[in-house]
Amino acid sequence: MEVANCASPVLVCASHPFYLREIVRRLCGQITLWPVGDWHLDGYDLQRTLDLCQDPGRSIALHHPDSKPLPVYSAIILAMPETVDWNKILAGHLPMAEGSRLVVIGRTARLERFTPDLAQGPSQPVSLVAAQQTLVSAGWRVEKTYGFHGPLSLALGVASRLPAILGRDDLVDRLLAAMRAHYVVRGWQARCSPLWLLVGTAKGTR
């Protein structure tokens, strides 16, 4: 992960507890959680979710956007942000030191059927194009974009179904091997992938 070795603290904004736990368990040090989106959690369930993320190598706290002064985060991770919460997140005026990392993990709604494990994600996810445009307008520097299960990978996966029906396991293996070889893509192909990742940095102190 792009921020795995960043200095603390790291802010994690997640639209669902599942994504929060998957990200937090890959991090260590000081972590601040911002449960954006509609979690449908009461106080007890939220505390239980936090308890599941606890580890001797982590210090976890909840983010309070209205608190003064706001902390300066070395990195921010936005996991599956919904369109309805996107502007709210960016309007949080989160102080970032120059060069701090920003990672946005999102998905493409029209391709979500190819990744059923993301079914519990937001109903109106932010698109990669919208994320790039908004972040650039807000003064962020977008450095990299990645797509997972890119266009050719998707096509090869669909094509493998026919030889599977015909009992040609040799062709299935070849197609699936080619699919894995084209799984990660860059640039414009990321926009045509079910899952995408954007990496950026802060141009200056916010």
Side-chain angles (χ1 to χ4, degrees), residues 149 152-154 156-157 174-184:
H149 210 2
L152 183 55
S153 176
L154 288 173
L156 290 168
R174 292 181 182 180
L175 288 170
L176 292 182
M179 180 190 75
R180 287 189 287 270
H182 296 87
Y183 191 80
V184 181

Side-chain angles (χ1 to χ4, degrees), residues 98-121:
E98 183 174 0
S100 295
R101 308 296 288 172
L102 170 71
V103 176
V104 184
I105 306 167
R107 65 188 181 92
T108 305
R110 65 181 182 278
L111 298 174
E112 62 185 355
R113 65 182 181 277
F114 295 104
T115 51
D117 54 320
L118 297 178
Q120 53 188 320

Side-chain angles (χ1 to χ4, degrees), residues 37-38 81-89 122-126:
D38 189 3
E82 296 187 44
T83 300
V84 68
D85 292 308
W86 182 243
N87 290 330
K88 182 178 71 174
I89 294 171
S123 57
Q124 294 183 323
V126 176

Side-chain angles (χ1 to χ4, degrees), residues 21-138:
R21 290 192 296 268
E22 288 300 303
I23 291 173
V24 169
R25 71 188 185 89
R26 290 169 169 80
L27 301 174
C28 59
Q30 299 178 26
I31 304 170
T32 302
L33 308 180
W34 188 358
V36 297
D38 189 3
W39 275 28
H40 298 290
L41 295 180
D42 57 24
Y44 173 79
D45 290 331
L46 180 56
Q47 185 58 53
R48 183 172 179 273
T49 299
L50 296 178
D51 292 341
L52 290 174
C53 296
Q54 294 295 344
D55 183 88
R58 302 188 193 106
S59 173
I60 300 178
L62 281 177
H63 174 65
H64 299 285
D66 298 327
S67 62
K68 303 293 182 181
L70 290 172
V72 175
Y73 297 103
S74 63
I76 292 179
I77 305 174
L78 308 180
M80 304 296 178
E82 296 187 44
T83 300
V84 68
D85 292 308
W86 182 243
N87 290 330
K88 182 178 71 174
I89 294 171
L90 293 182
H93 303 298
L94 304 174
M96 295 276 287
E98 183 174 0
S100 295
R101 308 296 288 172
L102 170 71
V103 176
V104 184
I105 306 167
R107 65 188 181 92
T108 305
R110 65 181 182 278
L111 298 174
E112 62 185 355
R113 65 182 181 277
F114 295 104
T115 51
D117 54 320
L118 297 178
Q120 53 188 320
S123 57
Q124 294 183 323
V126 176
S127 69
L128 176 56
V129 173
Q132 289 176 302
Q133 293 175 344
T134 306
L135 291 171
V136 170
S137 298

